[in-house]
Amino acid sequence: MGYGTYLSDKHKIPFYSEPFAFVDNPNYREGHRKTLINFLQKLKNNETNYIIKFMICDIDDLSPYKNILKKSCHIIRLMRKDVVSQIASHYIAKYTKNFHEFETDIATNTYIPIDKKLLRECFRVGTRNNWLLQNCSLPWNETIWYEDLGFIKN
């Protein structure tokens, strides 16, 4: 279980994981479309009782995240200590075009070749996001390290 799902279950409020990510991706799952529509409805109704996860690089003028962060909210910065694993995870997600795991997914052993261009891109994205997390001026309420979460159980 991911940290967002854990917090959602603990506080009995909805969790939205990167609702604006991958909208133009043909592999976009129907469940994610429904999640996006549900989240947009909450924004339209000015509801504020939810958890949202998004990447720091997604805070721009094209997404509603700036406006969401201007409201009274609790902001958690999730950082990585193991940057190599972070970049490797991003590389695998980009190569397989599977950025989210679902309970219905079946784990398989897959050989993934090294694509130097893609690896450089993942390195650039990972280091950029880490730099932004360390240097942006958001009023973080707390910082949590991904590696310290351990296995979260209900």
Side-chain angles (χ1 to χ4, degrees), residues 17-148:
S17 179
E18 301 181 65
F20 294 95
F22 319 115
V23 173
D24 58 351
N25 185 333
N27 296 326
Y28 199 67
R29 298 177 187 237
E30 186 58 32
H32 207 129
R33 284 187 224 280
K34 291 176 183 172
T35 298
L36 174 60
I37 291 167
N38 184 280
F39 180 69
L40 289 172
Q41 191 64 44
K42 287 203 175 296
L43 288 180
K44 181 180 174 187
N45 295 337
N46 289 318
E47 294 180 41
T48 57
N49 201 21
Y50 55 83
I51 297 167
I52 182 171
K53 174 215 169 206
F54 55 88
M55 302 300 287
I56 188 101
C57 59
D58 293 332
I59 301 174
D60 57 28
D61 294 330
L62 301 176
S63 75
Y65 299 136
K66 271 189 191 176
N67 291 331
I68 290 170
L69 291 169
K70 289 177 186 174
K71 298 177 181 177
S72 177
C73 59
H74 188 86
I75 304 173
I76 300 172
R77 174 173 52 179
L78 182 59
M79 300 282 294
R80 292 290 299 255
K81 294 177 185 176
D82 185 351
V83 178
V84 173
S85 291
Q86 175 188 15
I87 292 168
S89 175
H90 187 224
Y91 179 87
I92 292 167
K94 291 281 283 187
Y95 189 88
T96 62
K97 297 179 176 52
N98 185 11
F99 289 85
H100 300 280
E101 291 182 12
F102 296 88
E103 290 181 22
T104 57
D105 288 349
I106 298 170
T108 60
N109 289 329
T110 305
Y111 171 76
I112 299 175
I114 301 298
D115 176 330
K116 291 180 183 178
K117 183 177 177 183
L118 178 59
L119 187 57
R120 276 191 296 274
E121 176 191 340
C122 293
F123 180 80
R124 183 186 56 76
V125 168
T127 54
R128 179 199 61 207
N129 286 346
N130 290 338
W131 186 89
L132 287 170
L133 282 169
Q134 293 169 359
N135 294 290
C136 79
S137 61
L138 285 174
W140 307 109
N141 296 99
E142 60 183 304
T143 296
I144 297 173
W145 295 94
Y146 180 85
E147 290 81 2
D148 294 341

